[in-house]
Amino acid sequence: MLIPSNGTIMPCDAVLLSGTCIVNESMLTGESVPVTKINLPNPSEYPKAMGDEIYSPEVHKRHTLFCGTNVIQTRFYTGELVKAVVVRTGFSTAKGQLVRSILYPKPTDFKLYRDAYLFLLSLVVVAGIGFLYTVVNSILNEVPTHTIIIESLDIITITVPPALPAAMTAGIVYAQRRLKKIGIFCISPQRINICGQLNLVCFDKTGTLTEDGLDLWGIQRVENAHFLLPEERACSENLLKSEFVACMATCHSLTKIEGVLSGDPLDLKMFEAIGWILEEATEEETALHNRIMPTVVRPSKQLFPESKQATDQEMELFELSTGYEIGIVRQFPFSSVLQRMCVIARVLGEKRMDAYMKGAPEVIASLCKQETVPVDFECVLEEYTKQGFRVIALAHRKLESKLTWHKVQTINRDAIESNMDFMGLIIMQNKLKQETPAVLEDLHKANIRTVMVTGDNMLTAISVARDCGMILPQDKVIIAEALPPKDGQAARINWHYADTLAKCTSSSPAINSEDIPVKLVHESLEDLQMTKYHFAMNGKSFAVILEHFQDLVPKLVLHGTVFARMAPDQKTQLVEALQNVDYYVGMCGDGANDCGALKRAHGGISLSELEASVASPFTSRTPSISCVPKLIREGRAALITSFCVFKFMALYSIIQYISQCQPNPEI
């Protein structure tokens, strides 16, 4: 298929063969961040690099256009159209699987309705006994046949009240009206009653408990393998031509869509912080050359100290003399598997090219020359992550002069990403929403358990859980790290206290106990009142525990509070695991990646009016978790109404039934 240059919504899964596309994948990931997709490398051009590799949509994500995602813009080579080949259609696609999970969820079982049916069944039995009694009694008293039929059938309609379903719905209807007034919309009214019994609520982190975006808190540069003091601004005059700022200016996947910079919010904040300008080649310029023209970044005029007091004529001369700009020659996109991205760039007029890399601090440090990494690197990093900051590390390397433009286009990523010089850290802040701590406190007072399910980093998630009051200051957090079977060794679980993890040492002290969850539950009463334990684990560990440690799952979910790096299907599995230990589970999320869990939970509340609201029984107009206590309150009110109506109708029927079954003295 040909991808139109002005964009389209993908009708199927397809793999890109030529050109590049900028795609919005919020439908699948919940992140409204445009992603750059590049064409699948041609094996005939790079036989060494490719080998006998077989295409897989999961492995080759950055070459695959997924069904339902929005192609915003395409870029092409000279006269060559942007082509893709269809690989999956219908329910086989990623979107199809999501739609299937929405259409055919596992049925949620609610005890009230189950008991109501059993009660009605017992009433039918009672009605049957009354029916036989009336028939026999009337025959013995020689009552006319038509009177026997009317009276005996009357017994059945009295005993099993036909108005019961309608009467029970009354409370739900009024609750639905009240919910609508406070901005909560409901597409499954029967779930309102279930919400009255919720005793555990799962929350997504980004956009639900915290604000959507990240703010730049500051930078901490490294010189001569020592950390300098943290700096608030990265756009100071003395840093203008530094390699640190050059890395911030080039190492990103930003692009211009209709003249507006767009891309990952983290990259956007980082680029805005330095105040540079990004210029991309136009389609006309691209058509004149064989290759896509490099993207160029340069400082804005205001950043140069000399430009402050200058006339227009002086300004023109100044621009000619300064001409400091960097061209991005090749980009290795961010990979969640590798946890880093890398670019090859060249400063205008320089002969040698530079490689810049950014990513997870631990990964970047491992790829740098050890003599350039500060000794206290782990201590500094842990201090930031414990405070809930998101930390990104930067590295740089001067490339050999023999590396030409053509060689750079075919070079392997691993050849570039080694022997780098560690440059420092960028510290980003993800603020809590204002109402989050108060809402969680209300839920705790009502004895409703709260759990965090996020796709973010483990330590950041634990820090946010502490900040919002999900984990109290005196509580201890134990990280369960499950390792799959490898090289003949059986699967195992390592237990660490989160506070001692990476505590300025290379190995964190492990808790040596096979049955730690059992011990923690049955500790001495004094100790249990003083300290409460919480388990935290990531998606990989959760998958290993589900597969190899089935007996531990109930114990872990009973005390698990933070589940980090969770994939969409794992969120659904967690909700099911919690339901299996008799919890009534609520789920609050805002992304399409929460759809399965929102549908599976007893009460799913979407904070977004986009894809998530299709699957979710409840949608809140206000994007904050303050809707959760309101919904539970209304659910309890509706549930009490249903109980009272049920008791009234049942008692009313039984009284009438007994009076009707009394022998008629006139006969």
Side-chain angles (χ1 to χ4, degrees), residues 243-313:
E243 282 157 351
F244 193 94
V245 168
C247 185
M248 288 176 76
T250 56
C251 201
H252 53 70
S253 53
L254 298 178
T255 185
K256 277 196 169 175
I257 297 170
E258 293 174 4
V260 179
L261 263 185
S262 66
D264 190 303
L266 189 144
D267 286 347
L268 267 173
K269 285 283 177 192
M270 189 177 78
F271 194 73
E272 283 166 8
I274 55 171
W276 282 40
I277 296 163
L278 181 134
E279 289 176 353
E280 283 183 327
T282 59
E283 287 185 12
E284 291 77 23
E285 286 176 310
T286 307
L288 293 170
H289 298 79
N290 287 339
R291 294 275 188 271
I292 287 180
M293 292 274 285
T295 301
V296 172
V297 289
R298 57 184 172 79
S300 60
K301 295 167 192 173
Q302 288 78 21
L303 292 176
F304 287 98
E306 298 90 340
S307 68
K308 301 282 174 21
Q309 310 95 13
T311 62
D312 290 346
Q313 200 172 357

Side-chain angles (χ1 to χ4, degrees), residues 269-481:
K269 285 283 177 192
M270 189 177 78
F271 194 73
E272 283 166 8
I274 55 171
W276 282 40
I277 296 163
L278 181 134
E279 289 176 353
E280 283 183 327
T282 59
E283 287 185 12
E284 291 77 23
E285 286 176 310
T286 307
L288 293 170
H289 298 79
N290 287 339
R291 294 275 188 271
I292 287 180
M293 292 274 285
T295 301
V296 172
V297 289
R298 57 184 172 79
S300 60
K301 295 167 192 173
Q302 288 78 21
L303 292 176
F304 287 98
E306 298 90 340
S307 68
K308 301 282 174 21
Q309 310 95 13
T311 62
D312 290 346
Q313 200 172 357
E314 286 170 336
M315 200 69 202
E316 282 178 31
L317 288 166
F318 169 69
E319 277 179 43
L320 289 167
S321 64
T322 50
Y324 180 69
E325 56 182 49
I326 306 171
I328 301 166
V329 180
R330 176 132 191 237
Q331 191 184 77
F332 297 101
F334 176 80
S335 158
S336 54
V337 178
L338 299 172
Q339 292 185 306
R340 63 181 184 268
M341 81 164 286
C342 180
V343 293
I344 298 171
R346 184 178 187 164
V347 178
L348 185 71
E350 291 272 331
K351 286 186 177 176
R352 289 166 72 177
M353 295 188 194
D354 298 273
Y356 296 106
M357 182 167 65
K358 83 163 197 285
E362 303 91 338
V363 177
I364 301 296
S366 68
L367 296 169
C368 289
K369 296 175 197 161
Q370 283 312 299
E371 61 268 22
T372 65
V373 181
V375 183
D376 58 345
F377 164 73
E378 285 183 345
C379 279
V380 172
L381 176 62
E382 198 210 356
E383 276 307 308
Y384 284 127
T385 49
K386 271 171 72 178
Q387 290 173 55
F389 291 119
R390 180 137 176 215
V391 185
I392 296 148
L394 305 183
H396 163 257
R397 174 185 158 197
K398 272 270 182 211
L399 298 178
E400 299 81 23
S401 51
K402 63 179 181 183
L403 275 175
T404 60
W405 196 91
H406 289 283
K407 280 183 182 172
V408 162
Q409 297 308 313
T410 56
I411 198 165
N412 198 335
R413 185 170 186 162
D414 298 334
I416 298 292
E417 296 175 340
S418 60
N419 289 326
M420 308 284 274
D421 292 334
F422 191 79
M423 288 200 298
L425 306 170
I426 296 174
I427 300 108
M428 314 289 281
Q429 192 176 21
N430 189 200
K431 290 176 184 169
L432 272 180
K433 284 187 179 175
Q434 204 175 345
E435 56 283 343
T436 298
V439 170
L440 293 180
E441 195 182 344
D442 283 354
L443 293 174
H444 286 166
K445 282 178 183 171
N447 268 346
I448 295 168
R449 220 183 111 194
T450 51
V451 169
M452 187 192 292
V453 192
T454 176
D456 206 345
N457 170 285
M458 170 85 77
L459 287 174
T460 308
I462 292 170
S463 167
V464 169
R466 283 200 185 278
D467 289 348
C468 65
M470 205 176 267
I471 298 171
L472 299 173
Q474 69 271 21
D475 295 356
K476 289 206 169 186
V477 179
I478 294 172
I479 293 176
E481 185 192 359

Side-chain angles (χ1 to χ4, degrees), residues 200-204 449 451-453 574-575 578 585-589:
L200 182 145
V201 184
C202 295
F203 292 100
D204 180 38
R449 220 183 111 194
V451 169
M452 187 192 292
V453 192
L574 175 66
V575 168
L578 288 162
V585 183
M587 172 77 197
C588 186

Side-chain angles (χ1 to χ4, degrees), residues 50 142 168-169 218 398 466 597 650:
M50 299 303 293
E142 297 175 353
M168 281 185 73
T169 310
K398 272 270 182 211
R466 283 200 185 278

